[in-house]
Amino acid sequence: DKRLAKVDVIGSIAHARMLGKTRIIPKKDADAIVRGLQAILKDIESGKFKFDPAAEDVHSNIQDLLQKKIGKAAFRLHTARSRNDQIALDIRMYLRDETDDLIELITLLQKSILKFARQNMQVIIPGYTHLQVAQCVLLAHHVLAYVEGLERDKERLSDAYARIDRMPLGSCALSGTGLPIDREFVCKELGFAAVTDNSMDSVSDRDFIIEVLADLSILSVHLSRAAEDLILWSTKEFNFIDIDFSFCTGSSIMPHKKNPDVLELIRGSVGKVQGDLTSILVLMKGLPLSYNRDMQLDKPPLFSAIDTVKDVLEIFIALFQNIVVEKEAIAAKLFDESLFSVDIVEYLIKKGVPYRQAHDIVGNMVRKCLDKGRKISTLSEKELRAFSPLLTMDVMRILNAESSVRLKTSWGGTSPAGVQKQVSLWEKKINA
């Protein structure tokens, strides 16, 4: 828990100032405590602070160091405070900072993806459902889906921040205190939105940790799915992209291999994050109110999940700046005319054919072309009319990838004009 040292000292400075302001302890002792803690904080920020492994925890470590610096006045710091509300405060302060950092990293990843989208606005790829070729989409449209998911992740973390941002100090062990403390003063000193309202809940609540871990679990799923796309796209079978070798490794036996190991490790690390969430849920599910020492074990999974997700975000930010799009290889995959079957269905619908009938007509045409080893574009007008009198040679104009994506003009669709607008809207929002 040495990573809590800085917030522990900052919280203690606010507490000491409150004790002096309310005259619960002599003003000169409060001033001495603040000066001593400020000196310790300076050492922490400069990297000079040494965590003592013999100390019970970081709180004891700081208390012992303060006593060495200022003498007996240090014994007054723990007045009107318990380790229970102290650690609740520390974790909330720590999580406020980490949540801000996570949101910033997600934003940087969104910017990296948007830059990639902007650079590849003209690239059309086969889209997939069930991992089977479905319809044409713009590559930019595909990666904008990542941006959307990441935005929801930011929203969830922002929502969690509102519940983290409550000041528990003054709850003491579980019942509050009879001393005339000023919780609102400490709240303002530390920049919290409000104080907590129930002392028992204040020291025993870890919902805010569970919520952050749940948010990180969802975020990690989004990152894992993006990693899976990139892994597939980098295979010889897809050959959509080439990932820079700095994110890949070779084989110990096969000289030709270029394995996307970093992406595979990202995909595997998601299990750790989800395991961290499960660990806290199981830890908390059987605990009676209020504080129990089991809760000391909430920190390792929390720290682990945050570290893992931050590492993955930083890797993805760099990775999207080092992807080469294999445009010629992608273009060769767009000659599959099954990609345009829905466009033909909609062509017939626009001519008044009911959807189910149009679907059956095109399905019949596609099957017969497959049976005869022919492409739809090779059919004569007579052959087209055999499937439907409303099918004429002008249908050939939509049997290409460019026309296919241009037709998808519904809001949120993959038309170039729509995607261009979406990219511009996202750039404006992200850079605001």
Side-chain angles (χ1 to χ4, degrees), residues 176-241:
T177 178
L179 296 170
I181 61 173
D182 187 344
R183 296 189 69 205
E184 289 292 345
F185 174 85
V186 177
C187 184
K188 289 177 183 177
E189 282 282 295
L190 297 175
F192 278 91
V195 298
T196 55
D197 292 323
N198 183 286
S199 60
M200 291 186 71
D201 180 60
S202 299
V203 299
S204 60
D205 167 38
R206 293 298 184 268
D207 291 1
F208 59 96
I209 292 179
I210 294 170
E211 187 172 1
V212 168
L213 287 173
D215 295 345
L216 294 184
S217 292
I218 297 171
L219 167 58
S220 69
V221 167
H222 290 155
L223 297 173
S224 181
R225 294 186 72 183
E228 175 66 6
D229 278 343
L230 297 177
I231 289 168
L232 286 171
W233 288 356
S234 68
T235 63
K236 292 295 183 183
E237 289 75 15
F238 277 78
N239 198 24
F240 286 5
I241 61 172

Side-chain angles (χ1 to χ4, degrees), residues 83-100:
R83 189 66 54 83
N84 297 356
D85 60 344
Q86 183 180 359
I87 187 58
L89 174 71
D90 287 1
I91 299 177
R92 286 177 182 271
M93 291 178 67
Y94 164 78
L95 271 180
R96 286 194 309 182
D97 292 341
E98 290 296 339
T99 301
D100 282 339

Side-chain angles (χ1 to χ4, degrees), residues 76-268:
R76 296 188 184 275
L77 175 59
H78 212 55
T79 306
R81 183 174 75 172
S82 165
R83 189 66 54 83
N84 297 356
D85 60 344
Q86 183 180 359
I87 187 58
L89 174 71
D90 287 1
I91 299 177
R92 286 177 182 271
M93 291 178 67
Y94 164 78
L95 271 180
R96 286 194 309 182
D97 292 341
E98 290 296 339
T99 301
D100 282 339
D101 289 348
L102 284 162
I103 290 172
E104 176 61 23
L105 280 171
I106 295 170
T107 301
L108 290 173
L109 176 53
Q110 287 177 305
K111 288 181 179 180
S112 186
I113 295 171
L114 285 169
K115 183 178 180 182
F116 178 81
R118 175 70 72 185
Q119 292 169 341
N120 294 282
M121 287 293 294
Q122 309 304 317
V123 179
I124 302 171
I125 64 172
Y128 292 78
T129 62
H130 307 277
L131 210 54
Q132 304 292 322
V133 169
Q135 293 178 266
C136 293
V137 296
L138 291 177
L139 175 58
H141 186 64
H142 186 113
V143 298
L144 280 179
Y146 305 152
V147 176
E148 294 276 354
L150 291 169
E151 188 68 15
R152 293 193 297 275
D153 294 320
K154 285 164 58 178
E155 290 170 359
R156 274 184 282 270
L157 286 167
S158 295
D159 289 344
Y161 188 100
R163 283 172 286 282
I164 295 166
D165 199 20
R166 295 291 183 270
M167 206 288 296
L169 204 64
S171 301
C172 298
L174 78 161
S175 63
T177 178
L179 296 170
I181 61 173
D182 187 344
R183 296 189 69 205
E184 289 292 345
F185 174 85
V186 177
C187 184
K188 289 177 183 177
E189 282 282 295
L190 297 175
F192 278 91
V195 298
T196 55
D197 292 323
N198 183 286
S199 60
M200 291 186 71
D201 180 60
S202 299
V203 299
S204 60
D205 167 38
R206 293 298 184 268
D207 291 1
F208 59 96
I209 292 179
I210 294 170
E211 187 172 1
V212 168
L213 287 173
D215 295 345
L216 294 184
S217 292
I218 297 171
L219 167 58
S220 69
V221 167
H222 290 155
L223 297 173
S224 181
R225 294 186 72 183
E228 175 66 6
D229 278 343
L230 297 177
I231 289 168
L232 286 171
W233 288 356
S234 68
T235 63
K236 292 295 183 183
E237 289 75 15
F238 277 78
N239 198 24
F240 286 5
I241 61 172
D242 182 60
I243 298 171
D244 190 82
F245 223 124
S246 59
F247 300 92
C248 302
T249 64
S251 164
S252 61
I253 190 171
M254 295 173 284
H256 67 285
K257 294 298 291 296
K258 184 181 181 184
N259 301 322
D261 284 13
V262 170
L263 288 167
E264 291 172 358
L265 289 170
I266 287 173
R267 192 174 56 186

Side-chain angles (χ1 to χ4, degrees), residues 279-340:
S279 176
I280 299 293
L281 286 169
V282 173
L283 173 72
M284 295 299 298
K285 73 173 183 62
L287 297 184
L289 291 179
S290 56
Y291 182 81
N292 299 271
R293 192 60 182 265
D294 314 47
M295 292 160 69
Q296 179 176 304
L297 301 177
D298 59 1
K299 289 177 283 299
L302 174 63
F303 296 160
S304 173
I306 288 174
D307 290 348
T308 299
V309 171
K310 288 173 78 172
D311 285 347
V312 171
L313 287 168
E314 288 173 356
I315 290 167
F316 260 121
I317 291 165
L319 189 143
F320 268 99
Q321 298 168 1
N322 290 276
I323 293 176
V324 175
V325 177
E326 303 287 5
K327 297 179 182 179
E328 291 185 9
I330 294 172
K333 297 179 184 295
L334 299 176
F335 293 111
D336 180 357
E337 292 181 355
S338 63
L339 287 163
F340 316 122

Side-chain angles (χ1 to χ4, degrees), residues 8-47:
D8 189 78
V9 171
I10 292 171
S12 291
I13 289 172
H15 182 65
R17 284 175 175 158
M18 182 275 294
L19 292 174
K21 171 183 173 291
T22 56
R23 304 297 178 180
I24 294 173
I25 68 173
K27 184 74 163 54
K28 63 180 180 61
D29 285 348
D31 291 343
I33 291 169
V34 169
R35 285 194 301 272
L37 289 171
Q38 287 174 334
I40 293 171
L41 180 61
K42 187 176 180 180
D43 286 344
I44 292 169
E45 292 177 333
S46 67

